[in-house]
Amino acid sequence: MSRPKPEPVQVVKQRRDAALRALVSGVPYIGFLGIQFDRRGDELTATMPFDEKLIGNPFLPALHGGATAAFLEVTAIVELAWATWWEDIEGGRIDPEAGAGQLRMPKTIDFTVDYLRSGLPRDAYARARVNRSGRRYASVHVEGWQDNRTRLFAQATGHFLMPER
């Protein structure tokens, strides 16, 4: 009895990248903020490239708190959706080419942001960690930084209502 031949790595990578693109393209606000996601295996890092429209206080200048909060919340939701749908995408039960219409996103119950220092006028990065995810409820922690991963400028915790599967 022989094992089935594994898929070529490039095919797997293309399928995963297409699934992430479909997930992100289904949320227009992500495009408005310019947020991008970099995938390494099942780990996502979000990037919000600097743009003048993101400045809240032009005298410092500093990123607007609303832009920072939105960036962290989007990162949390995309990470949670990615973690939720990962096995279905890998198993071929969800076709990424069909678009994000197949994927229902988690809904925010509450989201608390800790602003640790002013966001500087430069690119920002964030990673989210799903602390708990059940059938109906999930808890996610997000950390945002700019130049140095160990010097966070904001962090957040959110609770989400999970979509029916």
Side-chain angles (χ1 to χ4, degrees):
M1 183 171 159
S2 66
R3 287 188 294 165
K5 189 174 180 182
E7 286 184 284
V9 172
Q10 202 57 31
V11 171
V12 173
K13 182 182 180 324
Q14 288 171 350
R15 182 178 64 238
R16 291 174 182 173
D17 290 344
L20 181 58
R21 272 193 310 278
L23 184 66
V24 170
S25 69
V27 184
Y29 194 55
I30 293 174
F32 173 76
L33 291 175
I35 299 171
Q36 304 159 356
F37 287 87
D38 181 43
R39 184 192 59 76
R40 297 285 183 254
D42 66 344
E43 182 180 75
L44 301 178
T45 300
T47 303
M48 184 170 68
F50 174 72
D51 190 316
E52 285 293 328
K53 71 182 177 193
L54 303 175
I55 292 294
N57 183 340
F59 296 108
L60 290 178
L63 292 179
H64 191 283
T68 299
F71 174 51
L72 296 178
E73 186 174 7
V74 161
T75 302
I77 290 171
V78 169
E79 173 65 34
L80 183 55
W82 183 252
T84 300
W85 299 110
W86 174 262
E87 288 181 19
D88 289 337
I89 292 167
E90 285 299 289
R93 292 179 293 279
I94 292 178
D95 177 14
E97 301 303 322
Q102 286 185 312
L103 307 177
R104 298 199 40 219
M105 300 296 258
K107 304 289 184 221
T108 305
I109 296 171
D110 67 67
F111 198 75
T112 304
V113 179
D114 299 324
Y115 298 97
L116 306 174
R117 57 183 47 87
S118 292
L120 302 172
R122 55 185 64 135
D123 294 355
Y125 308 93
R127 281 196 189 135
R129 180 184 69 248
V130 177
N131 292 328
R132 179 196 183 282
S133 181
R135 282 190 355 260
R136 297 181 43 93
Y137 164 89
S139 174
V140 181
H141 180 76
V142 191
E143 295 179 340
W145 71 95
Q146 290 186 303
D147 295 328
N148 184 334
R149 176 83 169 88
T150 62
R151 282 183 47 88
L152 304 180
F153 78 101
Q155 63 183 3
T157 301
H159 301 103
F160 300 89
L161 180 64
M162 298 302 291
E164 290 184 27
R165 296 197 68 175

